[in-house]
Amino acid sequence: MVGFTAWSERDISLRLSTIRELRHRIAAGAEDLVEALKTRPARTAAESVSAEILPLAEACRFLEREASRLLAPKRLGRRGRPVWLFGVESEVRREPVGTVLIVGPANYPLLLPGVQAVQALAAGNRVLVKPAPACSAPMILLGAWLEEAGLPPGLFRVLDESAAAVAEAIEEGIDKLVLTGSADTGRVVAEKLARHLVPSTMELSGNDAVFVLPGANLEQVARALAFGLRLNGSATCIAPRRVFVTHGMAAGLEAALLRHVGAIPAVPVSPPTGRRLAALAQDAVAGGARALGALPGEDSPAMAPLILADARPDMALLRAEVFAPLLSLVPVRDMGEALTVAAGSPYALGASVFGPEVQARELAGWIDAGTVTINDLIVPTADPRLPFGGRHASGWGVTRGAEGLLEMTQVKTVSVRKGRFRPHFDQPRAGDEALMLAALRLFHGGPGTRGGALRRLVQAVRGRSAG
C-alpha cells in the first residue's frame, strides 16, 4: 500500500501522462503485442490488432481526454439545497478504492484486463492482474511498458495464472475485484468476496439475442451473424446465439445464412466444451430443431459453425452459456413473443436488433440487456465512451466509459458550514416541533396547505423568539 499512497498523492496529470506514453508504446510495439496474443486459437494478426490492440489504445486516449474532468471534485451550488441548510457548501469527491484485483479472461486477454487496468490506474489505484491460463504474455508486456512510461514500481503487478492466486490475493487484502469470466466462476468468487465484504464488478456469461424485425435486410443480417460466428472463433461474450425471426422470414434467413457461413473454418474446442455442446445440440434436434450442417461429435477437437433452425423456446440450448460457433434460429409470431422467449434466458449481457431504425429503437427500449446494438453487432461496443456490463446471470456493474472509470473510485462528500449560526447545537426548546412541522408543510405540502403552513411557521418563530 505504500506505493499506492505515493501514486494517489500525485496530481492526476502525472497519471494521465503515463497513460499517454503507454498509448504511444502500444502503437510503436503493436507487433510485439500481436506476438504475445498468438496463444489465441483461430486468431489472425489482423484480428488481434482490430479487436484488442486498437480498442485498448482508444481507451487510453479516452482517459487522457476525459479522466481529469470525471474525477474532479464536484461542487454543489445553492440550487436544490434545502433552505434549512443555508450557509452550507458541499462537494462530492472521487477517491481511489485502493488495491484493485483484475481477473482476466482467455478470449480477449489484452483488451479486457488492459482497459480495466488503465482505468484503475487513472483513478489512482494499485492494480493486480490475474491472467487466464497461458495468457500472461500481453499483461507482462503491458506492465513493462507502464514502468517505462513512468508508473511508480509496485503499482501494477501480474500474478500467476492459477485460480489459487485469486483466493490468496483476497485473503491478503484487496479493496475491489473486477472479474470477466463465466457465471459459475463469478458465483465462486463472489462467495469468497462476501466473507471479506469486498465489492466487485463482474462481467459474466452471455447468450445474446438477435431480433430480426419485418423489413430487415436479410442479406445484411446473415452477413452480421456470420461475422459473429467467425470473430475470435466465436469466443466472444456478446456473439449472437439466439436469433428471433418471424415465421414468414425464417426460410429466407436460413438460405442467406447458408450462403455466408460455409466458408468459415472450424475452430478448436476443448474436450469439456465439445462434449457439452454436442449434448445440447443433440437434445435440441431430438426436440424438433433442424441442424443445418453436421452435428459436432463429443470428441471432436474442432467445430465448424452450426446453425439449428426451428429451435423451440423450451430448449436448454437457449438458456445455456455457449462459447463456440453455434446459432439457434427461433421462429416467432411477432416481436412481442420474441421478447417473452428471450426473457427465459438467465443471461442478459447484449442484444442486437435488425430492421427499420424507428421500430428497432422502440424495441431496444423493451429488451432486458446491458447493451443493445441496432443494425450491427459486437463492434459498436468497442467505443471507449460506452460502459459495458450485464444483468442477471451476466453480472453486475460496468467497465469502460465514464461509468467504468467511476467504478474504480469511492465517493467522499465534504460539507463546510459558513458563518456562526448553529441553532441545531442548542438544546431543544418548546415550540420546536410546531416550527418544524410548519416548515415541512410549507416546503412539501400540496395545494391548499402552504398558506396555512406559512402562518403557523411565522407564529412558531415568534413564539420561539418570545420564549
Side-chain angles (χ1 to χ4, degrees):
M1 299 300 291
V2 175
F4 157 70
T5 302
W7 175 253
S8 63
E9 288 175 351
R10 292 170 177 236
D11 189 271
I12 189 174
S13 63
L14 295 179
R15 301 181 219 157
L16 300 186
S17 68
T18 299
I19 291 173
R20 182 180 301 108
E21 181 61 25
L22 173 65
R23 176 168 61 89
H24 295 161
R25 290 173 184 266
I26 288 171
E31 291 84 358
D32 294 330
L33 284 173
V34 170
E35 185 68 25
L37 291 166
K38 278 191 173 179
T39 56
R40 278 301 308 150
R43 169 79 74 80
T44 65
E47 204 165 71
S48 288
V49 175
S50 63
E52 297 213 62
I53 300 172
L54 181 59
L56 177 58
E58 293 287 357
C60 290
R61 179 149 55 185
F62 169 81
L63 291 170
E64 295 166 36
R65 292 172 172 172
E66 304 293 337
S68 292
R69 176 183 62 84
L70 293 168
L71 297 174
K74 302 295 189 296
R75 292 194 173 183
L76 307 182
R78 296 180 180 179
R79 184 176 180 181
R81 182 184 65 189
V83 173
W84 44 274
L85 286 177
F86 63 90
V88 175
E89 295 181 357
S90 299
E91 67 180 30
V92 178
R93 300 178 181 177
R94 290 283 181 170
E95 298 184 346
V97 297
T99 297
V100 178
L101 171 60
I102 295 170
V103 183
N107 59 334
Y108 291 96
L110 171 67
L111 174 64
L112 300 185
V115 173
Q116 294 157 10
V118 294
Q119 285 198 316
L121 291 171
N125 298 291
R126 174 176 177 248
V127 173
L128 307 175
V129 179
K130 202 294 287 185
C135 293
S136 291
M139 286 297 101
I140 291 172
L141 190 56
L142 203 67
W145 287 349
L146 279 165
E147 287 203 14
E148 292 173 10
L151 183 73
L155 294 189
F156 181 93
R157 184 159 67 95
V158 180
L159 307 180
D160 70 67
E161 299 173 351
S162 68
V166 175
E168 290 169 6
I170 293 172
E171 290 296 328
E172 289 175 5
I174 60 172
D175 300 291
K176 185 159 189 176
L177 179 141
V178 181
L179 180 145
T180 306
S182 69
D184 288 341
T185 299
R187 291 185 182 96
V188 172
V189 175
E191 289 180 1
K192 289 183 171 66
L193 294 174
R195 291 196 290 270
H196 297 269
L197 297 180
V198 172
S200 64
T201 295
M202 293 202 178
E203 180 199 317
L204 306 178
S205 306
N207 188 328
D208 274 22
V210 177
F211 299 83
V212 183
L213 291 170
N217 182 324
L218 293 184
E219 192 69 17
Q220 182 188 68
V221 175
R223 289 179 61 220
L225 295 174
F227 165 72
L229 290 172
R230 184 180 70 247
L231 177 67
N232 202 36
S234 201
T236 298
C237 56
I238 51 171
R241 299 294 176 222
R242 301 171 290 151
V243 182
F244 298 101
V245 57
T246 57
H247 291 282
M249 300 173 68
L253 181 57
E254 283 183 34
L257 269 171
L258 289 175
R259 289 195 297 271
H260 287 282
V261 302
I264 300 175
V267 296
V269 293
S270 67
T273 298
R275 288 191 291 271
R276 180 168 169 270
L277 290 177
L280 286 169
Q282 291 164 9
D283 180 68
V285 170
R290 289 183 293 112
L292 306 183
L295 291 176
E298 291 186 0
D299 299 319
S300 299
M303 178 179 174
L306 175 64
I307 300 169
L308 293 173
D310 294 334
R312 294 209 320 263
D314 58 348
M315 290 180 174
L317 189 63
L318 302 186
R319 299 187 301 278
E321 174 192 8
V322 177
F323 228 53
L326 191 150
L327 198 66
S328 300
L329 302 184
V330 187
V332 292
R333 181 177 59 256
D334 52 32
M335 289 300 107
E337 182 183 6
L339 288 170
T340 300
V341 176
S345 169
Y347 303 113
L349 189 56
S352 297
V353 183
F354 287 86
E357 184 176 332
V358 173
Q359 293 94 315
R361 284 180 176 272
E362 182 179 359
L363 182 64
W366 290 98
I367 295 172
D368 187 11
T371 184
V372 179
T373 58
I374 293 176
N375 291 324
D376 202 348
L377 49 76
I378 302 175
V379 172
T381 65
D383 187 335
R385 301 170 300 173
L386 293 178
F388 186 83
R391 303 175 178 181
H392 311 305
S394 290
W396 53 82
V398 297
T399 60
R400 294 185 258 171
E403 293 80 0
L405 174 62
L406 295 181
E407 285 222 15
M408 301 295 186
T409 67
Q410 53 190 343
V411 174
K412 176 186 286 181
T413 62
V414 177
S415 299
V416 179
R417 172 77 74 168
K418 300 287 189 177
R420 297 184 176 181
F421 188 55
R422 308 285 192 279
H424 47 286
F425 287 175
D426 299 334
Q427 289 286 347
R429 297 167 58 180
D432 282 357
E433 179 183 352
L435 187 151
M436 287 185 282
L437 287 172
L440 172 67
R441 288 167 183 144
L442 175 63
F443 300 143
H444 302 290
T449 65
R450 293 180 179 175
L454 178 59
R455 289 192 299 272
R456 286 190 289 273
L457 180 64
V458 171
Q459 292 170 358
V461 170
R462 287 175 177 172
R464 196 176 191 280
S465 300

